[in-house]
């Protein structure tokens, strides 16, 4: 069954999110963007390219005069300006001009970097997202946040650039590694926790079907997460206010990600960050103790960590304070008023952050 969501920008229709279980409707959807006289460059990584590039090419070639592809080695460490330079060079060699279009085929790394290349090449050309990881399908492909990492700083250089279309083929999740699958699930869980307690309950009650990757359940999960993300980005497309709610768990999550030198996945760090924020919310008497423990323990069946070894709390605090989420010298935290209702908070003290971080340090119960 196919699902469509229309995303507005400044209250006007901007792009559609199409949720399908194959690539069959891809030609039809892309054709609506008047592609016959355009050149298209599919940008993908080595893993996704080897699995899906040929199939996607077979749907694009009949509807477009000239389709080329650019593949880079998969991995977050390639999400940098060097890869973007290589993309620019390739587009210049292929004589891409402003009416031409890029297609991001892959996870969040491909999507963020293709979007950034599209935002900056010739001061901006169109691009389409074909997200293939769960993280990209429920989160990163929607909302137009693009960018790359710079030196050790994550997503430090970027731009807002809305895609022309997001085409999700849920079936691609069948080839995703287990750890990557749960990595993306953390963002879906976050959506329920910050915005929709009914969705959160639905995720919990469909735990087995989700872990078995039953396609109709995944389709619903992606649809409901996309609805939440769509509502947030429509209200605040350039993150001047409420869009920051999506950063729940990310302030400390990013610090852990950096401290661990990106050996843990983004969603794993977000799960830990969510626990710290939920703990602080409990201690500030915004959330009940039961709600805190429920949130913490519900990451476990989805193979996400709730504690971590070998971290230095002072370092985590220092990194958190140097994060770009600081506002006028104050840490900007997203806390919970209750399950399904997140709020922006700038009153979290260093002691509260320390207590929250201590909560996720691994303790051997035998000690
Ligand atoms: P990723 O793109 O590196 O993909 C993870 C791994 O899975 C890669 O090895 C990739 O090749 C592989 N893969 C992807 N789809 C596959 C499939 N269908 N079958 C088999 N393998 C597949 O990482 P990710 O987790 O998708 O995205 C993480 C990135 O997203 C980070 O850089 C993060 O900063 C960014 N992000 C951006 C936003 C945003 O709003 N723009 C939001 C959240 C995260």
């Amino acid at each position: 069954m196919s699902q469509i969501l229309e995303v507005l920008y400044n209250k006007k229709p901007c792009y559609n999110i199409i949720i399908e279980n194959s690539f069959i409707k891809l030609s039809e959807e892309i054709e609506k963007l008047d592609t016959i006289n355009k050149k298209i460059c599919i940008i993908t990584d080595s893993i996704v390219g080897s699995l899906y590039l040929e199939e996607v090419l077979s749907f694009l070639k009949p509807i477009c005069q000239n389709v080329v592809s650019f593949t880079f080695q998969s991995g977050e460490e390639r999400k940098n300006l060097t890869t973007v330079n290589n993309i620019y060079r390739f587009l210049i060699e292929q004589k891409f001009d402003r009416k031409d279009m890029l297609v991001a085929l892959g996870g969040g790394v491909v999507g963020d970097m293709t979007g950034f290349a599209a935002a900056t090449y010739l001061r901006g050309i169109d691009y389409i997202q074909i997200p293939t990881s769960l993280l990209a399908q429920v989160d990163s492909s929607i909302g137009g946040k693009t960018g790359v990492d710079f030196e050790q700083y994550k997503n430090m250089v970027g731009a807002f650039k809305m895609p022309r279309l997001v085409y999700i083929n849920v079936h691609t999740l069948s080839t995703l590694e287990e750890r990557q699958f749960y990595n993306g699930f953390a963002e879906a869980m976050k959506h329920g926790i910050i915005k929709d307690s009914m969705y959160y309950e639905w995720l919990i009650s469909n735990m087995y079907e989700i872990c078995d990757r039953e396609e109709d359940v995944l389709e619903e999960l992606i649809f409901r997460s996309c609805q939440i993300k769509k509502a947030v980005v429509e209200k605040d497309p350039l993150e001047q206010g409420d869009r920051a709610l999506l950063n729940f768990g990310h302030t400390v999550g990013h610090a852990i990600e950096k401290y661990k030198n990106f050996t843990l996945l983004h969603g794993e760090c977000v799960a830990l960050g969510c626990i710290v924020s939920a703990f602080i919310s409990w201690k500030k008497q915004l959330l009940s103790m039961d709600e805190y423990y429920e949130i913490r323990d519900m990451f476990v069946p989805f193979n996400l960590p709730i504690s971590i070894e070998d971290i230095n709390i002072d370092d985590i605090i220092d990194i958190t304070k140097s994060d770009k989420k600081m506002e006028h010298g104050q840490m900007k935290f997203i806390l919970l008023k209750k399950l399904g209702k997140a709020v922006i908070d700038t009153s979290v003290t260093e002691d509260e952050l320390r207590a929250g971080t201590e909560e996720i340090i691994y303790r051997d119960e035998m000690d």
Side-chain angles (χ1 to χ4, degrees):
M1 200 184 71
S2 67
Q3 313 245 33
I4 301 179
L5 287 166
E6 185 184 62
V7 183
L8 309 180
Y9 184 70
N10 288 337
K11 302 201 167 87
K12 294 196 185 88
C14 185
Y15 56 95
N16 283 340
I17 304 170
I18 311 287
I19 305 169
E20 284 286 338
N21 55 14
S22 74
F23 284 121
I24 286 176
K25 295 240 175 84
L26 189 61
S27 320
E28 187 185 320
E29 291 302 327
I30 294 190
E31 221 175 355
K32 290 180 190 160
L33 305 175
D34 239 352
T35 44
I36 195 71
N37 294 317
K38 292 183 182 182
K39 292 199 226 8
I40 288 185
C41 178
I42 302 172
I43 298 181
T44 190
D45 72 21
S46 47
I47 296 177
V48 178
S50 68
L51 291 164
Y52 300 109
L53 181 59
E54 280 312 312
E55 194 181 351
V56 169
L57 275 170
S58 73
F59 284 102
L60 296 197
K61 281 190 169 153
I63 55 154
C64 179
Q65 191 195 63
N66 190 344
V67 191
V68 293
S69 64
F70 177 93
T71 304
F72 64 89
Q73 197 63 38
S74 89
E76 178 77 30
E77 58 282 12
R78 304 295 160 137
K79 194 176 122 175
N80 56 34
L81 291 172
T82 306
T83 313
V84 173
N85 272 0
N86 294 337
I87 295 173
Y88 292 151
R89 191 169 301 114
F90 182 76
L91 296 176
I92 293 167
E93 281 164 12
Q94 298 292 325
K95 302 194 168 32
F96 268 56
D97 66 31
R98 206 176 269 163
K99 70 174 190 331
D100 297 328
M101 191 157 81
L102 305 185
V103 172
L105 172 67
V109 165
V110 171
D112 278 14
M113 200 153 46
T114 305
F116 182 66
T120 47
Y121 183 73
L122 294 174
R123 297 196 179 86
I125 63 173
D126 285 345
Y127 79 110
I128 288 170
Q129 292 270 17
I130 306 181
T132 59
S133 68
L134 183 58
L135 183 139
Q137 295 187 350
V138 295
D139 194 358
S140 64
S141 63
I142 303 145
K145 253 193 188 180
T146 76
V148 292
D149 305 332
F150 180 75
E151 296 177 350
Q152 77 270 37
Y153 303 101
K154 216 173 129 58
N155 298 327
M156 203 52 166
V157 178
F160 284 97
K161 169 84 177 166
M162 301 304 149
R164 295 290 313 279
L165 169 74
V166 178
Y167 187 100
I168 298 173
N169 172 2
V170 178
H171 191 64
T172 57
L173 298 179
S174 61
T175 51
L176 195 62
E177 271 183 12
E178 193 166 289
R179 194 170 164 210
Q180 293 292 350
F181 179 77
Y182 292 113
N183 172 47
F185 181 80
E187 298 283 2
M189 190 82 135
K190 179 199 77 182
H191 288 146
I193 295 172
I194 62 166
K195 278 282 172 194
D196 185 347
S197 59
M198 304 257 283
Y199 176 46
Y200 176 84
E201 300 301 340
W202 180 87
L203 290 171
I204 304 303
S205 56
N206 283 278
M207 183 188 299
Y208 296 112
E209 292 81 355
I210 292 168
C211 294
D212 286 345
R213 301 195 207 179
E214 284 186 17
E215 238 163 61
D216 51 342
V217 175
L218 292 185
E219 218 173 287
E220 172 141 12
L221 179 156
I222 291 161
F223 180 74
R224 291 177 78 163
S225 262
C226 286
Q227 268 184 323
I228 292 173
K229 177 111 190 206
K230 161 185 145 69
V232 174
V233 302
E234 281 179 345
K235 203 169 154 208
D236 177 21
L238 304 181
E239 199 169 315
Q240 284 156 343
D242 269 14
R243 185 165 177 172
L245 297 177
L246 294 169
N247 291 333
F248 177 67
H250 284 60
T251 313
V252 172
H254 276 165
I256 298 171
E257 214 172 344
K258 204 155 145 191
Y259 180 81
K260 287 286 185 186
N261 217 1
F262 300 97
T263 50
L264 288 179
L265 299 180
H266 179 73
E268 294 167 345
C269 297
V270 166
L272 291 164
C274 288
I275 294 166
V276 174
S277 295
F279 180 84
I280 297 173
S281 308
W282 166 33
K283 291 297 158 184
K284 280 182 163 301
Q285 297 179 343
L286 296 166
L287 203 66
S288 73
M289 184 179 81
D290 285 352
E291 282 178 309
Y292 164 66
Y293 282 112
E294 183 186 338
I295 290 172
R296 190 194 69 168
D297 294 342
M298 278 309 160
F299 285 110
V300 177
F302 297 101
N303 287 336
L304 288 161
I306 61 168
S307 65
I308 182 169
E309 284 178 305
D310 303 326
I311 55 166
N312 179 301
I313 295 189
D314 290 325
D315 289 345
I316 296 293
I317 292 173
D318 284 349
I319 303 172
T320 304
K321 285 162 91 180
S322 68
D323 188 85
K324 58 186 185 308
K325 289 177 197 66
M326 293 287 286
E327 206 167 77
H328 311 301
Q330 293 215 273
M331 284 182 288
K332 190 163 152 192
F333 256 85
I334 311 304
L335 298 181
L336 295 173
K337 266 187 138 167
K338 58 178 185 176
L339 235 168
K341 175 110 187 85
V343 287
I344 300 173
D345 185 290
T346 50
S347 74
V348 174
T349 64
E350 197 171 310
D351 284 346
E352 287 167 331
L353 172 58
R354 184 175 297 277
T357 311
E358 262 163 14
E359 181 70 8
I360 54 163
I361 291 194
Y362 176 77
R363 281 180 198 87
D364 190 338
E365 296 304 329
M366 304 301 280
D367 281 352

